[in-house]
Amino acid sequence: MHAKVGRFDAYTPDINLFDVILAILSRSLPKRGMKFSSPLPKIHDFFFKMKKSYPVIFEDVHFRESPDYRYSKEIADCFIELQEAGYLTRPNPSLSMYRIDADLSEDTFSQKKPDHKTMNEIAELFNKNFTIIYDEQRSAC
């Protein structure tokens, strides 16, 4: 989508990546205290595959296509934004575990773009690719 920033033309994505990833997480890990384990390269590889399967949703996500390590600055920045917004933390020293620090089950963002059915499909794939852990002790905090 093209917009004006002052007197200059600017491009803004039709679909916000932050909302997309938050929608995926809200379907996969809806409760505070839920965790998923993953080294960072596996997250980038997952979203690389999702871009191939859902090119419209991930149109503005770009990857360095190294066979050894696929990396997307947009994905990395989005996970940092999720941490800064208080939705997600990395509580372990190895930084390969992510914990949901907000109750995502009742937020209204999951009803926004993109398509609800597609987000459910991607969330199912996310659940198959990552180990989901529910820490009941942490959720009581």
Side-chain angles (χ1 to χ4, degrees), residues 92-137:
N92 59 328
S94 70
L95 300 177
S96 63
M97 180 75 68
Y98 294 82
R99 182 180 63 225
I100 300 298
D101 275 352
D103 184 6
L104 302 180
S105 63
E106 296 188 24
D107 279 335
T108 57
F109 57 81
S110 61
Q111 302 306 320
K112 294 180 186 174
K113 275 186 178 179
D115 163 39
H116 187 70
K117 180 182 173 228
T118 304
M119 289 298 94
N120 287 340
E121 291 171 8
I122 296 171
E124 283 181 37
L125 293 169
F126 187 90
N127 289 346
K128 288 178 184 174
N129 282 275
F130 299 98
T131 304
I132 309 294
I133 304 161
Y134 185 56
D135 183 0
E136 292 186 39
Q137 293 173 333

Side-chain angles (χ1 to χ4, degrees), residues 26-137:
S26 74
R27 287 162 173 79
S28 298
L29 304 110
K31 301 283 184 200
R32 179 187 314 263
M34 293 184 86
K35 300 176 188 175
F36 70 97
S37 178
S38 175
L40 201 52
K42 186 175 177 183
I43 291 172
H44 288 275
D45 192 53
F46 173 78
F47 285 105
F48 177 79
K49 291 173 185 170
M50 292 303 99
K51 180 174 173 116
K52 297 239 185 256
S53 299
Y54 302 95
V56 172
I57 292 174
F58 297 102
E59 176 182 13
D60 295 305
V61 178
H62 306 284
F63 288 87
R64 182 183 71 204
E65 292 190 40
S66 164
D68 297 326
Y69 181 59
R70 293 187 174 103
Y71 176 81
S72 167
K73 182 173 179 353
E74 294 86 6
I75 295 295
D77 288 348
C78 189
F79 272 84
I80 290 169
E81 283 182 59
L82 286 165
Q83 292 174 60
E84 289 174 349
Y87 288 109
L88 193 63
T89 59
R90 293 169 81 177
N92 59 328
S94 70
L95 300 177
S96 63
M97 180 75 68
Y98 294 82
R99 182 180 63 225
I100 300 298
D101 275 352
D103 184 6
L104 302 180
S105 63
E106 296 188 24
D107 279 335
T108 57
F109 57 81
S110 61
Q111 302 306 320
K112 294 180 186 174
K113 275 186 178 179
D115 163 39
H116 187 70
K117 180 182 173 228
T118 304
M119 289 298 94
N120 287 340
E121 291 171 8
I122 296 171
E124 283 181 37
L125 293 169
F126 187 90
N127 289 346
K128 288 178 184 174
N129 282 275
F130 299 98
T131 304
I132 309 294
I133 304 161
Y134 185 56
D135 183 0
E136 292 186 39
Q137 293 173 333

